[in-house]
Amino acid sequence: MQRIIDGMVHLQSQTHGNVVALPPPSANILEQLRAHNSPFSAVEDRFTPHDPPINWYALGDSYTAGPGTGEDYDEDKDCARNVGSYAVQLETEFPFNVTDDFDFIACSGYTSTDSLIQARDVIEPERADFMVMTLGGNDIGFSSIAAECLVKAEFLPGDCDVTLATAKGLLAATEFETNIHAVYDEIFAKLKDDRHYQLYHIFYHRFFNDATDWCNDKTFAIRNPKLTRTLRRKMNNLADALNRRLEEVAANYIRRQQGKASWSQASRLITINPDKLTDKDGKTYGLFDGHRFCEPGITDLKDPSVWFFGTFSHDSVQKRQGSTPNRLAAPEVLTQTFHPRTAGFKAIKRVLQESLQKNRPAER
């Protein structure tokens, strides 16, 4: 039988020493795996209106910082920036055949307010050619939602449904859009007022396959909530609602730019929803399809084919032998939970490579 592990199809799986028969993945999933794991070729940069290097920033929250993914990127223990992040992988496999200059300033836990302050204080005016970021999840307390609904001991006070309702209220509030628009404004104020200077805003992911039954009695730890289909569907619905709201926020911002010369030929704000990608035949798919918790054919939440960290789980790649362990070991092992592993960030990096080449086409 077949299995998908870190983007590869394997003929069998072993869990706790036993061979597990797995159903073949769908043709759509296999097609996307082939597309995202095929050799990638950098192209000549004929879009940037100045000589190299191409200058860019990666900012925002933990879904860009990459907690737990490989070795520490720098000495900043609070932000938990790691080398497995899609941003560092993108810098290593830059999509254009020119030198680049990369500033990695994303920080775990950052809200829109935090990113606004950072954009004002850290980003140099008219230096960047483009920026990439994830932002918005912490504005509705996404990490606390996961803690409340998925990993909190059942005997502790609190109510998942109340927490989800609160998050949805924050999502619908005017302040959610206002705060993100303020970050957009600050970023575009720091970019040159020219269509060649862009922002790429990447959205979030569903954690679960919510159609399987084997997970109904599973928990992330003893006395944690059981991962029933109902609970999984609630968490996925919240991720979908967050992404829809971010799409709406971005679309409203783009409409505000109508009439500005630098926005007249193309949007300078490019959004990427990993759960709503389109293949060459026009079919919609999720980038993490086949790699979420509770997928068919696996029996362990920590299975290596899952592209998210579970509780106290390991990354999809090993650190170099003899390398220094993460200095954030104790808190970071908590921060990384429900974030992409290096293999997941590799898939995000590939989508971003393709988006950059598409949206920075040859002009000269």
Side-chain angles (χ1 to χ4, degrees), residues 39-176:
F40 182 82
S41 297
V43 299
E44 183 180 357
D45 174 41
R46 299 180 62 186
F47 182 84
T48 307
H50 62 78
D51 293 335
I54 294 177
N55 304 300
W56 62 289
Y57 286 83
L59 66 155
D61 59 28
S62 52
Y63 272 72
T64 294
T69 57
E71 298 171 26
D72 295 338
Y73 180 80
D74 55 26
E75 297 293 326
D76 191 331
K77 297 182 180 182
D78 293 329
C79 287
R81 289 184 282 262
N82 283 274
V83 299
S85 163
Y86 75 83
V88 181
Q89 294 191 51
L90 181 71
E91 200 276 335
T92 303
E93 298 181 64
F94 201 58
F96 302 102
N97 285 324
V98 294
T99 56
D100 70 292
D101 193 343
F102 167 47
D103 287 278
F104 191 20
I105 60 174
C107 193
S108 297
Y110 265 24
T111 63
S112 294
T113 301
D114 298 316
S115 291
L116 176 62
I117 295 169
Q118 186 184 55
R120 286 174 177 168
D121 295 345
V122 178
I123 296 174
E124 297 179 34
E126 298 193 351
R127 178 175 178 272
D129 294 292
F130 69 86
M131 303 189 202
V132 300
M133 73 174 186
T134 51
L135 194 68
N138 290 322
D139 289 43
I140 64 166
F142 207 57
S143 58
S144 61
I145 296 164
E148 176 72 38
C149 296
L150 299 175
V151 298
K152 188 196 74 177
E154 292 181 308
F155 60 83
L156 293 176
D159 188 301
C160 175
D161 287 337
V162 171
T163 301
L164 290 172
T166 300
K168 290 178 181 178
L170 292 171
L171 202 56
T174 302
E175 289 77 9
F176 182 85

Side-chain angles (χ1 to χ4, degrees), residues 154-207:
E154 292 181 308
F155 60 83
L156 293 176
D159 188 301
C160 175
D161 287 337
V162 171
T163 301
L164 290 172
T166 300
K168 290 178 181 178
L170 292 171
L171 202 56
T174 302
E175 289 77 9
F176 182 85
E177 179 166 327
T178 300
N179 290 342
I180 292 180
H181 280 193
V183 178
Y184 288 165
D185 282 340
E186 187 62 31
I187 287 173
F188 283 108
K190 291 296 182 76
L191 294 170
K192 289 183 179 180
D193 188 21
D194 182 287
R195 63 186 176 82
H196 294 90
Y197 300 88
Q198 305 164 323
L199 170 64
Y200 293 75
H201 188 172
I202 303 169
F203 300 165
Y204 299 90
H205 310 263
R206 289 178 160 213
F207 293 143

